[in-house]
């Protein structure tokens, strides 16, 4: 299937209220342009340099989202234009985004990434760290950051019960904090090519899908 066919199939399948982020990392500008011509406007990238290069090269109505691990010293490069940062994994990073937002004269939308998978390689707040951070009230000190919701990466495993339990745990945290964090706290980012159907069943409002749309990534390049 072409990129356009895959996008159309996904749009037909995803329920209303679930936003599709097309993850274009490691795919060339031409592939993004093809998806753009098929109507896609929200793209996710995991590296700052690649995000900035594609932002420069492609139409300005694209909403570029950062989904990968972000170093504090790279925030300023994306602060003027980034649509949403999915991968906030520490208060230190929140502080850096707040300062960069202030310098750019805009409030930056972010999600707090939560680490529920067993894999040690995954980043994100541990659930108890997340609870401590939100319950402390410190989030209100970041005037140039808008916390829009939560994000997680599920376990890379064939055990769908495990994946489902992680997504249900994130959904429970999201529901718990919605009354406290207000109407802007409306985004639950979970689900990728291999597990987006489970994520949607568990209440995801935003899926991040790469390989299914663009094909396999070539890590040798
Ligand atoms: C690469 C990536 C995706 C997309 O993965 P696919 O399996 O290709 O759909 C989604 N989320 C994050 C955080 C990623 O790094």
């Amino acid at each position: 299937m072409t990129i356009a066919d895959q996008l159309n199939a996904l749009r037909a399948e995803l329920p209303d209220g679930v936003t599709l982020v097309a993850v274009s990392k490691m795919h060339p500008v031409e592939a993004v342009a093809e998806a753009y011509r098929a109507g896609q406007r929200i793209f996710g990238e995991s590296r700052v340099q690649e995000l900035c290069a594609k932002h420069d090269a492609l139409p300005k109505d694209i909403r570029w989202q950062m989904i990968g691990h972000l170093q504090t010293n790279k925030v300023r490069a994306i602060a003027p234009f980034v649509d949403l940062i999915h991968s906030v994994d520490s208060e230190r990073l929140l502080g850096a985004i707040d300062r960069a937002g202030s310098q750019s004269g805009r409030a930056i939308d972010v999600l707090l990434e939560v680490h529920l998978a067993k894999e040690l390689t995954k980043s994100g707040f541990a659930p108890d760290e997340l609870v401590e951070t939100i319950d402390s009230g410190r989030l209100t000190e970041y005037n140039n950051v808008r916390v829009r919701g939560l994000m997680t990466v599920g376990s890379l495993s064939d055990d769908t019960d495990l994946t489902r339990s992680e997504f249900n745990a994130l959904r429970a945290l999201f529901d718990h904090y919605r009354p406290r964090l207000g109407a802007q706290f409306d985004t639950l980012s979970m689900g990728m090519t291999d597990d987006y159907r489970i994520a949607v069943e568990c209440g995801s409002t935003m899926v991040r899908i790469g390989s299914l749309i663009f094909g396999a990534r070539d890590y040798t390049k």
Side-chain angles (χ1 to χ4, degrees):
M1 281 216 270
T2 65
I3 288 172
D5 289 340
Q6 290 291 4
L7 282 169
N8 287 330
L10 272 168
R11 286 188 198 118
E13 179 187 346
L14 293 173
D16 287 346
V18 178
T19 301
L20 172 62
V21 180
V23 175
S24 50
K25 64 184 184 192
M26 304 182 73
H27 291 285
V29 163
E30 301 82 77
V32 182
E34 193 177 333
Y36 180 87
R37 286 193 296 274
Q40 182 66 25
R41 291 295 180 271
I42 305 179
F43 292 89
E45 288 282 335
S46 61
R47 296 211 178 127
V48 166
Q49 204 182 353
E50 193 173 344
L51 184 61
C52 291
K54 285 178 175 160
H55 170 256
D56 284 346
L58 285 152
K60 292 300 170 266
D61 60 340
I62 289 181
R63 294 164 55 188
W64 290 105
Q65 303 192 345
M66 178 65 187
I67 62 170
H69 180 68
L70 180 58
Q71 290 171 275
T72 51
N73 63 353
K74 302 246 170 97
V75 175
R76 266 195 302 166
I78 61 171
F81 68 88
V82 72
D83 182 63
L84 176 67
I85 300 173
H86 289 238
S87 43
V88 173
D89 56 2
S90 69
E91 285 192 57
R92 206 169 87 84
L93 181 56
L94 266 181
I97 295 169
D98 187 44
R99 286 189 295 280
S102 165
Q103 283 162 5
S104 302
R106 63 191 291 254
I108 298 177
D109 282 351
V110 307
L111 305 177
L112 303 179
E113 180 172 357
V114 185
H115 181 142
L116 296 158
K118 294 287 173 285
E119 282 112 283
L120 295 170
T121 51
K122 296 246 156 74
S123 50
F125 287 89
D128 57 337
E129 279 179 308
L130 180 85
V131 165
E132 199 278 322
T133 297
I134 299 178
D135 289 352
S136 73
R138 289 192 295 273
L139 290 181
T140 58
E141 293 166 15
Y142 304 106
N143 292 312
N144 303 287
V145 170
R146 289 201 305 171
V147 178
R148 300 295 307 268
L150 303 177
M151 176 272 215
T152 200
V153 177
S155 279
L156 302 170
S157 138
D158 296 334
D159 182 351
T160 56
D161 289 342
L162 177 64
T163 305
R164 190 179 297 277
S165 70
E166 291 162 2
F167 289 162
N168 279 326
L170 193 70
R171 167 72 189 275
L173 280 167
F174 181 65
D175 287 344
H176 177 73
Y177 282 115
R178 278 189 99 159
R180 163 102 57 108
L181 295 177
Q184 67 173 24
F185 191 78
D186 61 2
T187 304
L188 187 56
S189 168
M190 55 188 197
M192 309 173 23
T193 292
D194 287 338
D195 56 19
Y196 74 90
R197 289 192 169 120
I198 301 173
V200 167
E201 284 169 22
C202 296
S204 172
T205 72
M206 185 172 269
V207 291
R208 311 174 306 268
I209 299 184
S211 331
L212 185 63
I213 299 168
F214 295 107
R217 290 178 287 275
D218 183 357
Y219 287 99
T220 62
K221 276 199 279 194

